[in-house]
Amino acid sequence: MFDKYSLKKGETLENVARRFHTNVGVLKDINNIYYDEQVRAGMDVIVPKNQEHYFNYYVIEQGDNLYAIARKYNINPELLASMNGLDMDDFIYPNQEILIPKSGYSYYITKEGDTIETVSKVFDENERELLQMNPVVYLLAGQILIKKK
């Protein structure tokens, strides 16, 4: 579900986020980037792939909040926030694009200390099945893993 991408001269995380249909918050989270100064040409970053298969996109409108969006799509607001590299109290703004999980899948966002074994138990799957559905597993905090329901 992830690939490695090497940043080119003059490229920003915003450029990379657009290219891979994600957002800067997700890129910062999965790559443990805390400051923009850490981003430089030649740096390898982990980027999501095949997201269009597991996610829809939603463009924030005036007056939206994470709770209302989660209710509209019948999803957990904490999951919605985590998938988009946000905290529940973070400000969202009009025209910001966020990921919306598609129905028919279960999602898990890895935490510090997770192992294939512990994540397999969360999904109630054996490790082989988990790895078939998620061929690239880094187990860095913030990685989104999926299971087809």
Side-chain angles (χ1 to χ4, degrees), residues 46 49 75:
I46 299 167
K49 71 175 185 177
I75 55 177

Side-chain angles (χ1 to χ4, degrees), residues 76-112:
N76 180 313
E78 291 287 335
L79 174 65
L80 179 64
S82 294
M83 289 181 117
N84 287 284
L86 300 168
D87 290 323
M88 287 305 299
D89 56 353
D90 281 350
F91 179 73
I92 58 174
Y93 50 91
N95 298 320
Q96 178 182 0
E97 189 175 69
I98 61 172
L99 301 172
I100 303 290
K102 286 187 176 180
S103 62
Y105 296 94
S106 294
Y107 298 85
Y108 178 75
I109 300 172
T110 57
K111 296 184 233 17
E112 188 76 31

Side-chain angles (χ1 to χ4, degrees), residues 15-136:
N15 303 126
V16 176
R18 271 193 301 279
R19 173 181 276 194
F20 290 95
H21 307 289
T22 188
N23 66 55
V24 174
V26 169
L27 291 177
K28 284 183 172 183
D29 282 349
I30 63 177
N31 288 284
N32 295 319
I33 297 172
Y34 302 103
Y35 306 101
D36 290 336
E37 296 79 33
Q38 292 176 280
V39 179
R40 63 195 177 291
M43 176 180 172
D44 288 334
V45 293
I46 299 167
V47 294
K49 71 175 185 177
N50 296 328
Q51 282 190 320
E52 54 278 350
H53 183 67
Y54 305 112
F55 306 98
N56 288 315
Y57 296 93
Y58 177 79
V59 178
I60 304 295
E61 297 174 359
Q62 186 70 36
D64 276 342
N65 64 59
L66 290 176
Y67 289 103
I69 297 166
R71 189 171 40 254
K72 177 178 180 178
Y73 289 96
N74 195 30
I75 55 177
N76 180 313
E78 291 287 335
L79 174 65
L80 179 64
S82 294
M83 289 181 117
N84 287 284
L86 300 168
D87 290 323
M88 287 305 299
D89 56 353
D90 281 350
F91 179 73
I92 58 174
Y93 50 91
N95 298 320
Q96 178 182 0
E97 189 175 69
I98 61 172
L99 301 172
I100 303 290
K102 286 187 176 180
S103 62
Y105 296 94
S106 294
Y107 298 85
Y108 178 75
I109 300 172
T110 57
K111 296 184 233 17
E112 188 76 31
D114 275 340
T115 65
I116 294 292
E117 182 182 358
T118 60
V119 176
S120 295
K121 287 179 183 175
V122 168
F123 279 135
D124 195 27
E125 290 281 344
N126 68 47
E127 294 172 19
R128 185 179 56 78
E129 290 168 333
L130 174 67
L131 292 172
Q132 282 178 330
M133 194 68 173
N134 301 276
V136 179

